[in-house]
Amino acid sequence: MAQLVTAKEMQELDTYTIQTIGISQDVLIERAALSVIDVIGAGNFDLTHVLVLAGLGNNGADGVAIARLLYLQGINVTLQFVGNVNRAKESVKHQLHIAEQYGLHRAEKSDFNNASLIIDAIFGVGLNKLLPEGLQKMIKAANHIEKPVIAVDIPTGIDATTGEVRGATLKAKKTVTFSFNKVGLTKGNGKFLSGDVVVKDIGILAPEDFQFSISI
Ligand SMILES: NC(=O)C1=CN([C@@H]2O[C@H](COP(=O)(O)OP(=O)(O)OC[C@H]3O[C@@H](n4cnc5c(N)ncnc54)[C@H](O)[C@@H]3O)[C@@H](O)[C@H]2O)[C@H](O)CC1
Ligand SMILES: [K+]
């Protein structure tokens, strides 16, 4: 029986795992990143030049960890923040500090055209309003170029609970979603734009009496 979760339920389970079970946020980020590395390794993606697009929340933190792990494998990876990194969550700044200690620095600007694979770590289940105009434009331009995209947790622009597009969505070839499939990835645009969805366990535990939205 596969349980589906809404954004709110996923956030409740994250919090329960961190605060009650005691797994740290950094461990979850690392396991999330490693699960995406597994999927990249198992697929036949062209890794000539991987572009990681990182946002300013924990989805971005996952992206920075993914970029670091790719870099340490000797892969030609560019880490590009979307938004002002000075306004990023502490988890993102911490992951960036780690990446820099390993020798991976963020790029000031990057060009989709010379990427062979894009890792979308801009927004995940925390997306709660329309994407900023500028980002919508960038996403529409990127969709035109039709580069393969792997979405981290959720394609940016998809509402994890309803599947609706919040202004624009970076169309994914594959989506690696953590712990449980998201309701928004199973219906409407969410289903169509997320490509092949892989659910990866990263150690999130649901309390015995947790009420899942939908079980299919
Ligand atoms: N599920 C798990 O076990 C784990 C999930 N992880 C990753 O964490 C993200 C969710 O992170 P969160 O910080 O809550 O949100 P996002 O990164 O998706 O969004 C960032 C931030 O942006 C703000 N925001 C929302 N909508 C907008 C908007 N339209 N414009 C501007 N800003 C917006 C809002 O404040 C958000 O907080 C999840 O998807 C996973 O990738 C953990 O890293 C590992 C464990
Ligand atoms: K994403």
Side-chain angles (χ1 to χ4, degrees):
M1 173 94 91
Q3 269 93 16
L4 298 181
V5 291
T6 62
K8 183 170 170 299
E9 288 161 358
M10 191 67 250
Q11 287 156 343
E12 285 164 7
L13 292 173
D14 278 12
T15 305
Y16 173 76
T17 301
I18 294 167
Q19 292 183 359
T20 308
I21 307 291
I23 297 252
S24 79
Q25 177 76 63
D26 283 345
V27 166
L28 291 176
I29 290 169
E30 200 73 15
R31 288 194 63 179
L34 287 163
S35 74
V36 174
I37 294 294
D38 278 353
V39 169
I40 293 172
N44 52 356
F45 298 102
D46 175 356
L47 302 182
T48 314
H49 181 190
V50 182
L51 171 59
V52 176
L53 298 173
L56 305 183
N58 285 340
N59 198 242
D62 293 352
V64 178
I66 292 162
R68 183 227 322 150
L69 291 169
L70 289 170
Y71 175 78
L72 291 175
Q73 286 181 345
I75 287 167
N76 175 15
V77 58
T78 297
L79 171 61
Q80 168 78 52
F81 277 99
V82 175
N84 177 350
V85 71
N86 299 321
R87 292 182 25 223
K89 282 189 175 178
E90 272 318 300
S91 58
V92 181
K93 291 177 179 172
H94 181 56
Q95 287 299 328
L96 181 58
H97 171 76
I98 293 169
E100 286 170 345
Q101 302 310 304
Y102 278 108
L104 173 66
H105 297 271
R106 65 189 175 88
E108 285 304 320
K109 61 179 177 43
S110 55
D111 177 2
F112 285 115
N113 287 298
N114 57 28
S116 57
L117 172 67
I118 293 173
I119 307 294
D120 164 11
I122 306 171
F123 285 112
V125 296
L127 183 69
N128 57 21
K129 53 186 184 287
L130 209 57
L131 289 181
E133 267 304 305
L135 182 52
Q136 289 189 38
K137 283 201 185 74
M138 186 189 106
I139 286 175
K140 284 169 184 163
N143 284 337
H144 260 313
I145 305 174
E146 293 196 343
K147 291 279 179 185
V149 175
I150 296 178
V152 176
D153 210 21
I154 313 270
T156 291
I158 291 293
D159 181 297
T161 304
T162 65
E164 67 189 347
V165 170
R166 297 249 195 193
T169 295
L170 193 53
K171 188 170 175 1
K173 194 177 172 71
K174 191 176 273 282
T175 295
V176 183
T177 198
F178 307 123
S179 313
F180 300 97
N181 200 355
K182 310 303 184 283
V183 176
L185 294 178
T186 64
K187 54 191 194 183
N189 283 311
K191 184 175 170 60
F192 171 66
L193 294 170
S194 50
D196 168 38
V197 177
V198 178
V199 181
K200 285 288 199 180
D201 173 41
I202 62 169
I204 295 287
L205 191 62
E208 284 291 305
D209 58 351
F210 189 79
Q211 293 303 313
F212 285 91
S213 244
I214 305 170
S215 295
I216 50 172

